Amino acid sequence: MKGFLLLNGLPPECIDVSGGFCVCTDGAYVWAKKMGIKPDLVVGDFDSLGFVPDDCQTVVYPVMKNETDGEIALRLLKEKGCDSVDVYGAFGKRTDHFLGNLALLGIGMDLGVGVRLVGEGEIIFLGTGQVDLETRKNRTISLVPYGDTAHIIDSKGLLYPLKDLVLKRDDTRGISNVAESEKVGFFVKEGRVLVLESWRDE
């Protein structure tokens, strides 16, 4: 089942949460309501919102906890049977929260859930093994190791081929590649990579 997770960042202008289960964290309730989105569930400690909504189903957690509202919501989506989750509102506002939202990609992979952070003109997901991406020609494709290193064996559909390449945490080798076709693929033999697809100039 498809899942949707709404976070308290800056959402893209157009969001479609139909055909799946939608969980909203407390701070995102304001922008979701303005956009006419009615989530199936609102969760969190409600410190950002300042009140608990009474027009939808809610789950309240204590402020003093070890997980972010986003992680709690992602695990709830897994319990609901979601095997893929699109996250909106992951970008913008606080940098520490954005870094925490990147961690959701790894948490999702460990849970067996494919997670994508969807922003205005950009998508980030986590890849390992054979990674295939349907995109558009000339979009920017950047690869960043999720950890110390990532070893990429081969690639197809990219302007700058990746062959027996080790990406390191402390260099910029994987930034700003370009899709030469609508199908891009590469094989990550070791490690995991953040895949960033950008089309802000379209």
Side-chain angles (χ1 to χ4, degrees):
M1 181 172 64
K2 183 73 175 182
F4 301 98
L5 173 53
L6 312 184
L7 300 178
N8 189 25
L10 300 178
E13 293 183 1
C14 298
I15 296 176
D16 182 8
V17 298
S18 60
F21 193 88
C22 180
V23 175
C24 177
T25 59
D26 63 352
Y29 172 83
V30 174
W31 66 255
K33 192 168 185 177
K34 287 180 179 179
M35 297 179 71
I37 298 172
K38 186 172 182 179
D40 296 291
L41 186 63
V42 181
V43 304
D45 51 33
F46 295 93
D47 61 341
S48 300
L49 190 58
F51 65 93
V52 179
D54 58 7
D55 61 348
C56 55
Q57 185 178 357
T58 59
V59 178
V60 181
Y61 288 86
V63 175
M64 301 294 288
K65 59 186 185 304
N66 293 323
E67 304 85 5
T68 63
D69 293 343
E71 180 178 347
I72 290 171
L74 178 58
R75 293 183 182 278
L76 283 173
L77 285 164
K78 168 65 175 179
E79 293 175 8
K80 293 292 183 180
C82 297
D83 52 15
S84 65
V85 174
D86 281 352
V87 182
Y88 297 102
F91 300 89
K93 295 189 178 180
R94 287 174 50 178
T95 302
D96 57 343
H97 279 296
F98 172 68
L99 294 174
N101 295 337
L102 288 177
L104 296 179
L105 299 173
I107 294 170
M109 180 173 282
D110 292 341
L111 292 173
V113 179
V115 178
R116 304 190 310 166
L117 308 184
V118 183
E120 191 65 48
E122 63 182 326
I123 292 175
I124 304 178
F125 66 93
L126 190 59
T128 190
Q130 181 60 41
V131 179
D132 294 304
L133 172 63
E134 291 189 5
T135 183
R136 291 186 183 179
K137 190 174 180 180
N138 295 322
R139 283 188 174 178
T140 300
I141 308 295
S142 295
L143 305 178
V144 178
Y146 191 82
D148 289 333
T149 61
H151 186 188
I152 300 176
I153 298 298
D154 203 358
S155 67
K156 62 180 181 180
L158 290 171
L159 176 62
Y160 306 106
L162 309 176
K163 189 173 181 63
D164 196 23
L165 173 66
V166 177
L167 294 176
K168 299 179 181 179
R169 181 176 58 183
D170 55 357
D171 66 35
T172 60
R173 176 68 172 81
I175 300 298
S176 293
N177 212 321
V178 181
E180 286 198 308
S181 70
E182 295 182 348
K183 292 186 178 180
V184 168
F186 52 91
F187 187 82
V188 184
K189 182 180 180 182
E190 297 177 2
R192 299 184 288 184
V193 293
L194 291 170
V195 183
L196 301 92
E197 179 188 10
S198 176
W199 62 96
R200 292 181 177 179
D201 296 330
E202 288 185 3

